[in-house]
Amino acid sequence: MDNLSGPSPQHPLLRCVTEIGAALDQAEGITSAGLRTEEKGEALLEVSRQIERLQGLKLTLMAAGEDVAAQTAARDIAAWLAPRVNADHGPTKALQLLAEAIEARWHRVGAALRCGACSLEQARVITKALDDLPAEEVGPELLGQAEAHLVAQAAHFTPQQLRRLGEKILEVIAPDAFEDQERKNLQDAQRRANAATRLNFRKRGDGSTDIHARVPDSVAARLAAYLDAFTNPRKPDPTDPTPADPAKGAGNGSGNGSGDGSGDGPITDPATGQRIPAERRRGHAFCALLEALDPDALPIHGGNATTLVVTIDWTHLHTGTGGATLADGTRISAGEARRLACTAGIIPAVLGADSEVLDLGRLSRLFSAAQKRALGIAHPTCRAEGCTIPAKWCEAHHFTDPWCQGGRTDLADGKLLCNWHHHRAHDDTYDTLHLPNGDVRFHKRT
């Protein structure tokens, strides 16, 4: 009688990997000595190809490994496998997701990987490109064409090249659909870029400020083009009778003077002979760009043209000693103030003996730009108690004696209020109290 209780036959997959292990055991200790040059190359290519095929087999087993994980209550097959082979969970989880994508959606990719027609990294790129396609709009037929095309191209292109092909795959298989989809993709990308746009200032406490920004690619490209005009001014041609135009970046004194158009090339300081890093030149170019802006072309802030007010004692301005103060309280050297005065109009802020701004009142309905600047110098923020809105964003308000009741438009009666608090000042549901320090306290009536 046959022994029906004998060992069950080994599964072909398990037998395959066992035989692979046995073959590798046989190769243990064998060196490449004696191999001809072409044989070494042939062996290296074959080993690389078989490694990728084994990766395909590994993904097949991972895709079917849910029951393996369940035996030990592991979250998934990646959580089960990683500690047993001393691997990091992140990369192992990425392999699991790739295995699931191939098993569920992209069978051609899995077949190509298992037979050595594509590598693991190529499979990642192809599945990512296919998953990024709008499946409902493209339809299963075009998705199948896209998968077949990218798998075929794996024989000719690197993963990076395949990634670029994948981004344009619709252009190859469905040009009409590609144009419409590209338009939607670009619009979505622009919306995401606009939503992610940020710009922050952080004072370092050493006289400098870090500026951290995230802007759309088009804005960054535009800024880079502007800065190139300052870091690479056109070197005048001695045979050219036309003088250089400073507005076009030549002769502005802020560039490196190379005129070679290589914004990141090695530039040296003629005074010290030391190399000036490209990032420092861009930083100086950004400063020069801001100083070159026309204030009259900038938006209005609270009725004033965009203006940087510097308060400084006349003696300090004249001698270059001491310091000066910007509208936000930032201190700069008198020398820097003198430099700014060389290329900018001077707005005098005449101070009295106790540093109060002298009256600049005018017999007119609206406060003048000069009066608003004077009010801003006297108090750099909204006069509502606790409000920190900068004065340059505020509006001048006749607080004690309204114009309609015979009041004068002069500094003694003016206070700067932000738009919100200016509305509250005219809201009869609020009471106002003038505080000894000149601030205004609002209180809602009951």
Side-chain angles (χ1 to χ4, degrees), residues 157-402:
F157 296 104
T158 66
Q160 184 175 359
Q161 293 169 332
L162 272 178
R163 184 176 294 108
R164 290 195 290 268
L165 288 174
E167 292 172 354
K168 303 286 188 180
I169 185 61
L170 277 183
E171 187 176 14
V172 176
I173 63 172
D176 294 338
F178 167 77
E179 292 182 0
D180 186 57
Q181 187 60 40
E182 185 180 40
R183 175 185 59 81
K184 294 179 181 178
N185 291 342
L186 292 175
Q187 289 176 343
D188 289 343
Q190 183 63 47
R191 281 191 287 268
R192 290 193 300 269
N194 289 336
T197 297
R198 301 285 188 276
L199 193 148
N200 298 303
F201 299 91
R202 184 177 66 85
K203 290 190 176 183
R204 296 165 53 91
D206 60 358
S208 63
T209 297
D210 287 335
I211 302 176
H212 299 272
R214 177 177 295 174
V215 297
D217 288 340
S218 58
V219 175
R222 186 176 183 180
L223 177 60
Y226 289 170
L227 298 185
D228 282 346
F230 285 91
T231 57
N232 290 288
R234 180 175 63 87
K235 181 180 293 184
D237 184 350
T239 63
D240 184 0
T242 305
D245 182 359
K248 295 182 179 178
N252 54 37
S254 61
N256 54 45
S258 67
D260 58 4
S262 55
D264 293 325
I267 304 300
T268 57
D269 183 348
T272 63
Q274 295 181 344
R275 185 181 181 277
I276 305 176
E279 59 268 22
R280 186 188 303 169
R281 288 188 281 120
R282 283 193 294 268
H284 288 305
F286 183 68
C287 298
L289 173 64
L290 292 181
E291 292 187 19
L293 295 177
D294 180 7
D296 293 333
L298 297 179
I300 300 297
H301 286 169
N304 291 335
T306 302
T307 305
L308 179 64
V309 178
V310 181
T311 304
I312 186 172
D313 184 275
W314 171 255
T315 303
H316 292 164
L317 179 63
H318 183 67
T319 62
T321 59
T325 305
L326 302 182
D328 66 351
T330 300
R331 294 284 290 171
I332 63 174
S333 69
E336 176 68 1
R338 292 179 68 186
R339 189 187 70 80
L340 292 174
C342 291
T343 57
I346 299 176
I347 302 172
V350 182
L351 306 182
D354 295 325
S355 296
E356 76 278 8
V357 180
L358 298 182
D359 190 356
L360 297 176
R362 296 291 187 272
L363 292 177
S364 60
R365 170 66 181 88
L366 301 177
F367 284 89
S368 68
Q371 286 175 306
K372 291 177 181 176
R373 284 193 291 265
L375 291 171
I377 292 171
H379 199 280
T381 61
C382 171
R383 295 311 302 264
E385 183 182 31
C387 186
T388 59
I389 296 297
K392 63 184 179 180
W393 295 349
C394 293
E395 302 159 359
H397 174 64
H398 298 80
F399 219 95
T400 306
D401 298 314

Side-chain angles (χ1 to χ4, degrees), residues 70-118:
Q71 275 192 331
T72 57
R75 292 189 306 275
D76 50 34
I77 191 61
W80 180 88
L81 179 61
R84 287 169 171 77
V85 295
N86 293 323
D88 291 328
H89 180 264
T92 308
K93 181 67 175 181
L95 279 177
Q96 176 189 319
L97 295 176
L98 177 61
E100 293 171 352
I102 288 175
E103 178 68 19
R105 299 184 295 278
W106 314 120
H107 302 141
R108 289 187 183 90
V109 178
L113 182 58
R114 290 188 294 272
C115 74
C118 79

